[in-house]
């Protein structure tokens, strides 16, 4: 279980790094910010990513959270990075096959 959580934490760290690509200058007058594929929302939505985050965000056991603190930090860093992209913010809303949105689960952690 601990090995799995460390591996998942690395996956979330990698995804966070991917969607937080720094601003790239094309010329002195132009820059491209947030270079992410236009279909990334669809990719994330159809992957196991949202259900995995749901399962960990539903867990309210402080002992489990402390046991897997690196994973939880990685998940919250990824969620914060999602907020920087308007095209990815809808992942926080109620998606098909969901009973509770990520937004509601994040609110519950407060």
């Amino acid at each position: 279980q601990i090995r799995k959580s460390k591996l998942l934490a690395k996956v979330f760290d990698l995804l966070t790094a991917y969607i937080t690509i720094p601003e790239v200058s094309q010329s002195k007058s132009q820059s491209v910010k947030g270079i992410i594929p236009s279909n990334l929302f669809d990719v994330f939505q159809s992957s196991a990513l949202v259900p995995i985050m749901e399962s960990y965000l539903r867990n309210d056991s402080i002992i489990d959270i402390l046991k897997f603190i690196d994973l939880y930090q990685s998940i919250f860093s990824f969620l914060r990075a999602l907020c920087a992209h308007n095209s990815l913010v809808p992942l926080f809303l109620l998606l098909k096959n969901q009973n509770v949105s990520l937004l509601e689960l994040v609110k519950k952690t407060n």
Side-chain angles (χ1 to χ4, degrees):
Q1 183 80 8
I2 291 175
R3 184 169 182 231
K4 177 185 168 187
S5 73
K6 287 184 179 187
L7 193 59
L8 269 174
K10 289 182 184 200
V11 169
F12 279 108
D13 290 342
L14 180 66
L15 289 170
T16 301
Y18 176 70
I19 64 172
T20 55
I21 296 172
E23 187 172 309
V24 178
S25 293
Q26 289 184 324
S27 68
K28 291 184 180 183
S29 62
Q30 275 188 316
S31 66
V32 178
K33 194 169 187 170
I35 307 169
I36 60 170
S38 59
N39 68 336
L40 195 56
F41 171 81
D42 296 325
V43 171
F44 284 168
Q45 181 184 14
S46 62
S47 73
L49 196 61
V50 173
I52 290 170
M53 289 188 291
E54 283 177 350
S55 69
Y56 283 99
L57 293 174
R58 277 195 180 101
N59 187 359
D60 57 359
S61 165
I62 193 72
I63 293 171
D64 284 345
I65 292 171
L66 291 174
K67 188 175 178 181
F68 304 113
I69 191 72
D70 292 338
L71 175 58
Y72 280 90
Q73 287 175 334
S74 295
I75 289 172
F76 281 106
S77 293
F78 179 67
L79 291 170
R80 189 176 315 114
L82 289 175
C83 293
H85 300 282
N86 291 338
S87 64
L88 300 178
V89 170
L91 289 170
F92 285 92
L93 305 177
L94 194 63
L95 304 172
K96 56 186 171 192
N97 301 324
Q98 272 187 313
N99 294 325
V100 180
S101 69
L102 284 177
L103 180 61
E104 290 300 319
L105 292 171
V106 169
K107 283 181 183 179
K108 192 181 98 174
T109 63
N110 259 346

